[in-house]
Amino acid sequence: MSSLSTHVLDTVTGKPAAGIAFRLFHGATVLFSGKTDADGRCPQLRELDLQKGNYRLEFNVADYFLSQGMTLSDPPFLDVVPIVFGLSANAHAHVPLLAAPYGYSTYRGS
């Protein structure tokens, strides 16, 4: 079995993004739905036993930035940010998201 973690940072403020709703998909199946904690993480995600394969994390960034009092374009330039990634057998993957209203980046963390 493999495991997964994520960490979301708000690059506008330079702080962890607390309260971002996100989902983990395997194909069309939602495996997990939750929100980031005060540190921009979701510890419950690590408790999942995942198989080798392709997965997708979807982060509701527009809702988060609106909740922070930001004015966004209508419709928002970035509404939901998807990150599609592969997970090896018996491995751990850390998938960070650095987000702003008009751009984002990700990488394979440790």
Side-chain angles (χ1 to χ4, degrees):
M1 295 292 182
S2 298
S3 63
L4 176 66
S5 60
T6 190
H7 188 201
V8 185
L9 296 173
D10 177 338
T11 59
V12 174
T13 64
K15 296 179 180 177
I20 287 196
F22 72 96
R23 291 162 305 284
L24 173 66
F25 291 84
H26 184 65
T29 303
V30 176
L31 299 178
F32 183 84
S33 181
K35 288 189 175 188
T36 57
D37 64 13
D39 193 35
R41 301 174 189 271
C42 185
Q44 301 90 338
L45 193 60
R46 286 190 81 126
E47 297 170 10
L48 299 175
D49 288 327
L50 303 173
Q51 303 294 322
K52 173 183 170 181
N54 294 310
Y55 293 86
R56 182 176 76 252
L57 282 165
E58 289 185 355
F59 297 90
N60 293 15
V61 297
D63 289 346
Y64 165 77
F65 286 113
L66 288 169
S67 77
Q68 300 303 300
M70 290 190 165
T71 302
L72 302 180
S73 60
D74 184 18
F77 180 71
L78 293 175
D79 186 7
V80 176
V81 170
I83 302 174
V84 180
F85 60 96
L87 188 57
S88 302
N90 300 316
H92 174 75
H94 181 64
V95 182
L97 173 64
L98 288 74
Y102 295 95
Y104 69 93
S105 68
T106 188
Y107 55 93
R108 188 184 194 293
S110 57

